[in-house]
Amino acid sequence: MNLTLKIWRQKNANDKGKMVDYQISDVSPDMSFLEMLDVLNEQLINKGDDPVAFDHDCREGICGMCSLYINGEAHGPDRGVTTCQLHMRMFNDGDTIYIEPFRASAFPVVKDLIVDRSAFDRIQHAGGFISVNTSGNTIDANAIPVEKHNADKAFEAATCIGCGACVATCKNSSAMLFVGAKVSQFALLPQGQVEATDRVLNMVKQMDEEGFGNCTNTGACEVECPKGISLENIARMNQEYLKASLKG
Amino acid sequence: MSGILNSSIGRKFAMALSAFFLMFFLLQHFVINLLSVISPETFNEVSYFMGNNPFVQFLLQPVLLIGVLFHFIMGFVLEIKNRKARQISYAKNNGGANSSWMSRNMIWSGGAILLFMIFHFNDFWVPEIVEKYVEGKSQLGKDFHHHVVEMFLDPLRVGVYVLAFVFLALHLLHGFDSAFQSVGANNKYTKGLKTFGKLYAILVPLGFVFIALYHHFFHIH
Ligand code: SF4
Ligand code: FES
């Protein structure tokens, strides 16, 4: 396949940045999107140009590092996949493909297509954990009964890989799907109850401080999330938040 | 509970609560309007009651006005905040791939409804308030029905009303379920609720359109 790529190039956080056109030929439909970018980068390096910087790590859909807004959608046109699992067979010969970084004021561009998603880490630090007493008399988690339905829901919420596609795709740059998943995974388990009030209040406070927008329930996040995290998690977080506000 | 309006979720709740209130009011308004088609006498009686009962006038009416103003102001505040949350927009954005047009354009449908409300208040509410509280005229025995029929003789006005109800339907098609999701309702009942929401969003505005057209074409005194 021969393709025209329109890629966002930005030298550093302070540079203004712009879209730059590249031509690439002989792309195999079996390549992953990132492999296609690898090929482009090889060509650029051979010509003595600066390669396009993009995030990636596992390349098997589990780490959440790869990002990219491809042809107007987070992680491209395929559903339930990250960019590393997106294949070139989703495109046609002669296509023009727009490749942009995830856009949100809370995710500033570091270079080219790499954005700083540490806002998510700070939200996690604010409450996305349970404190476990390690003094030697810790109860084995398997010994605590959990209703199957809740266990399944908690597990589903826990599959969030923190990629940020939900924020990138949301017209409001809201992080509610991510935070909803992180709050839900504990809210549904007995171990999460002890710190439930502080957890949701602190995580939501941090989310707001990071400058994410306000959710208007468009549901775009749920569609674009590579892990199929459901809007139900946002509704649960809203409930948890109301309960916690009335208590605290 | 302190500062709940300072948090994103608190604002979302407040938006949803004011929406519930407005949707309930809308239904009530619709039922009364429908009387103007079914029975002009009953319509006149109910209109007199709504306009002169102290509980309605001095408690419900101010609450409604506050609800309306709050919903509009908060809607605009959220829009500004959300725009700030993404300062550089995408060169290519395919919003249609993952969300409905209605959900992405609440600010425009809402803005259109605001313009309509100004027009509508000027048609009915302002003259009535002036009549009652400025001129101090009694409304006893007033033919409200006649006033409605007269207003809808003007085809331009009917056009504006019909258009406004199209925007209202678009706003409600997203707003109804959205309000429930905001207060944390997403469970086994949600599917039924969504269907009900779609029916509400289409039938209520359609009903208002029917009433306006009825008076325009049949202007029965
Ligand atoms: S909720 Fe989905 S889209 Fe958002 S960070 Fe988690 S995995 Fe990514
Ligand atoms: S590189 Fe790990 S999810 Fe794509």
Side-chain angles (χ1 to χ4, degrees):
Chain A
M1 306 199 282
N2 299 325
L3 302 164
T4 304
L5 306 175
K6 289 181 175 291
I7 303 180
W8 180 261
R9 300 302 309 261
Q10 180 174 339
K11 282 198 185 67
N12 54 49
N14 302 321
D15 181 29
K16 255 189 79 155
K18 61 173 189 300
M19 299 297 286
V20 177
D21 288 7
Y22 297 94
Q23 299 296 330
I24 184 166
S25 44
D26 298 327
V27 173
S28 154
D30 296 331
M31 278 181 184
S32 80
F33 200 86
L34 297 187
E35 283 167 338
M36 183 274 294
L37 287 180
D38 290 338
V39 172
L40 173 75
N41 276 346
E42 244 167 67
Q43 291 176 7
L44 291 177
I45 292 166
N46 286 343
K47 276 202 291 183
D49 286 345
D50 194 18
V52 178
F54 61 90
D55 259 327
H56 61 103
D57 190 5
C58 72
R59 296 212 177 193
E60 56 183 10
I62 53 169
C63 74
M65 268 318 274
C66 58
S67 49
L68 308 189
Y69 212 69
I70 302 163
N71 269 354
E73 285 184 78
H75 295 300
D78 209 354
R79 290 287 170 258
V81 296
T82 48
T83 296
C84 58
Q85 298 170 296
L86 173 71
H87 286 88
M88 295 315 293
R89 52 182 162 270
M90 292 297 293
F91 302 90
N92 299 314
D93 186 32
D95 276 2
T96 298
I97 307 176
Y98 282 74
I99 310 170
E100 297 173 76
F102 280 0
R103 295 267 186 222
S105 307
F107 287 169
V109 172
V110 177
K111 183 176 195 269
D112 296 338
L113 303 170
I114 297 182
V115 297
D116 176 1
R117 284 170 280 182
S118 57
F120 271 12
D121 299 337
R122 289 187 291 275
I123 295 174
Q124 282 290 66
H125 293 169
F129 51 83
I130 52 167
S131 306
V132 177
N133 180 353
T134 51
S135 59
N137 49 14
T138 315
I139 307 169
D140 179 25
N142 290 319
I144 305 170
V146 182
E147 203 192 314
K148 172 84 169 102
H149 175 75
N150 286 344
D152 288 347
K153 295 266 173 209
F155 194 81
E156 277 168 25
T159 58
C160 162
I161 51 175
C163 63
C166 43
V167 172
T169 209
C170 174
K171 81 180 240 306
N172 310 314
S173 308
S174 163
M176 287 219 188
L177 195 64
F178 167 76
V179 184
K182 297 302 173 198
V183 165
S184 286
Q185 94 184 56
F186 296 118
L188 288 157
L189 297 177
Q191 290 94 328
Q193 300 312 314
V194 188
E195 292 153 306
T197 305
D198 286 348
R199 174 178 307 112
V200 68
L201 292 178
N202 292 340
M203 288 179 83
V204 170
K205 184 163 168 269
Q206 189 64 37
M207 167 177 86
D208 291 346
E209 279 172 14
E210 297 290 347
F212 292 105
N214 297 267
C215 169
T216 58
N217 307 319
T218 68
C221 53
E222 177 183 61
V223 176
E224 297 291 347
C225 170
K227 297 295 156 186
I229 301 292
S230 151
L231 281 188
E232 200 184 313
N233 293 292
I234 300 183
R236 189 176 297 107
M237 168 175 66
N238 293 353
Q239 281 174 18
E240 288 286 314
Y241 187 82
L242 187 66
K243 263 195 279 176
S245 311
L246 294 173
K247 256 197 233 165
Chain B
M1 229 14 229
S2 64
I4 194 159
L5 280 187
N6 290 327
S7 85
S8 54
I9 299 188
R11 287 188 291 261
K12 199 175 178 189
F13 267 116
M15 234 10 215
L17 291 183
S18 57
F20 283 133
F21 179 68
L22 295 177
M23 288 193 290
F24 183 75
F25 165 75
L26 191 73
L27 199 61
Q28 178 268 134
H29 196 328
F30 172 65
V31 171
I32 297 181
N33 284 18
L34 200 59
L35 287 175
S36 72
V37 170
I38 301 169
S39 159
E41 294 78 39
T42 325
F43 177 72
N44 278 340
E45 280 165 29
V46 175
S47 300
Y48 180 81
F49 174 82
M50 296 303 278
N52 294 276
N53 179 286
F55 177 72
V56 177
Q57 280 297 296
F58 302 115
L59 190 72
L60 295 188
Q61 180 165 270
V63 170
L64 176 64
L65 287 178
I66 292 168
V68 170
L69 276 179
F70 176 84
H71 198 77
F72 278 119
I73 293 169
M74 192 52 109
F76 288 116
V77 168
L78 289 176
E79 178 69 16
I80 293 166
K81 278 182 171 290
N82 291 344
R83 280 177 189 230
K84 267 206 345 226
R86 175 169 298 135
Q87 268 139 0
I88 304 169
S89 43
Y90 291 110
K92 180 164 181 178
N93 190 24
N94 187 2
N98 48 41
S99 54
S100 69
W101 186 91
M102 284 75 86
S103 73
R104 280 175 282 126
N105 292 284
M106 291 299 271
I107 193 70
W108 299 111
S109 53
I113 296 167
L114 176 62
L115 291 180
F116 166 73
M117 294 259 292
I118 297 169
F119 183 75
H120 177 57
F121 268 48
N122 189 48
D123 270 0
F124 290 97
W125 190 74
V126 175
E128 199 181 312
I129 292 291
V130 170
E131 190 179 295
K132 279 189 299 195
Y133 303 119
V134 181
E135 298 169 356
K137 274 196 212 148
S138 159
Q139 293 195 307
L140 209 61
K142 178 174 168 183
D143 192 353
F144 294 94
H145 181 261
H146 180 77
H147 179 54
V148 169
V149 172
E150 263 188 343
M151 294 301 265
F152 286 107
L153 283 178
D154 182 357
L156 204 65
R157 174 173 286 111
V158 175
V160 169
Y161 275 67
V162 170
L163 193 67
F165 285 114
V166 171
F167 280 110
L168 182 66
L170 292 173
H171 201 74
L172 287 169
L173 275 170
H174 175 67
F176 190 97
D177 324 328
S178 177
F180 280 94
Q181 161 80 13
S182 287
V183 295
N186 192 326
N187 49 41
K188 58 180 191 277
Y189 305 112
T190 324
K191 245 186 113 193
L193 204 66
K194 278 198 169 155
T195 315
F196 180 77
K198 299 271 168 298
L199 286 175
Y200 177 98
I202 293 170
L203 292 182
V204 173
L206 204 63
F208 276 106
V209 167
F210 162 75
I211 297 168
L213 293 178
Y214 179 88
H215 289 307
H216 180 68
F217 289 111
F218 297 101
H219 43 87
I220 299 160
H221 288 261

